[in-house]
Amino acid sequence: MGIGLLIVIVTLIGGAVLGAQSSLNGKISRTIGLLETVFFTFASGALVLAVLVVFFGSGHLFDLIHAPKLQLSAVFLGFGYLFLSTFSVNMIGVTPANLTAIVGQLLAGFVIDAMGLFGSEIIYFSWQRGVSLVLMLVALALIFSEKTSRAEGIR
């Protein structure tokens, strides 16, 4: 198995885990509340990561004070994603919420790549990327049309 295929498999597993997390967070938020769920997720994750950092970390944690402030803003983006995904799962369901998030990630990725934002390599928007975006938008439209049909009692 080549490294490329391994990366694809690991990324697919990561996506599946993220999908399961959004579903579980949506469910628990109905019991304990939205903000409480986001807090619980981040706090428990921080505890697990603290143990991992102590035993397996590279020892450079305190170099964070030298990191550019823009890079540190990723903390708020992570909170925003978790909060909004947990909120939207309860409103529209797991599949529409996750697919919409993926389309948003693609759009952001295309802009970041095309403009070389955050120091990334410039990767220009191609016709293949355009087709993939159109297909994702079609998938999103189909998912939402099915959801609308079900809400209206039509199959």
Side-chain angles (χ1 to χ4, degrees):
M1 174 184 328
I3 191 72
L5 181 58
L6 180 62
I7 291 171
V8 168
I9 291 170
V10 167
T11 305
L12 282 171
I13 291 169
V17 167
L18 195 59
Q21 181 198 23
S22 66
S23 176
L24 292 167
N25 278 350
K27 189 76 169 165
I28 197 170
S29 73
R30 293 182 197 138
T31 304
I32 67 172
L34 179 60
L35 289 174
E36 291 81 358
T37 298
V38 174
F39 173 77
F40 172 73
T41 300
F42 272 103
S44 57
L47 289 173
V48 169
L49 285 171
V51 171
L52 293 175
V53 165
V54 166
F55 291 104
F56 303 106
S58 64
H60 301 286
L61 182 62
F62 294 108
D63 288 344
L64 256 159
I65 61 173
H66 303 296
K69 302 302 180 238
L70 179 62
Q71 292 175 4
L72 297 175
S73 70
V75 170
F76 300 107
L77 297 176
F79 163 77
Y81 173 76
L82 186 60
F83 177 86
L84 294 172
S85 69
T86 302
F87 175 77
S88 62
V89 161
N90 286 330
M91 302 304 280
I92 60 176
V94 176
T95 301
N98 286 337
L99 184 57
T100 304
I102 291 167
V103 171
Q105 290 172 15
L106 278 177
L107 289 169
F110 289 155
V111 170
I112 291 166
D113 283 347
M115 300 178 76
L117 297 177
F118 314 121
S120 66
E121 175 187 345
I122 293 178
I123 302 172
Y124 294 104
F125 193 80
S126 63
W127 70 267
Q128 293 96 331
R129 287 175 173 238
V131 169
S132 70
L133 179 59
V134 167
L135 291 173
M136 290 298 289
L137 291 171
V138 168
L140 194 59
L142 289 171
I143 291 292
F144 276 101
S145 70
E146 181 227 12
K147 186 158 179 55
T148 303
S149 295
R150 282 187 181 196
E152 294 171 352
I154 303 170
R155 286 221 152 169

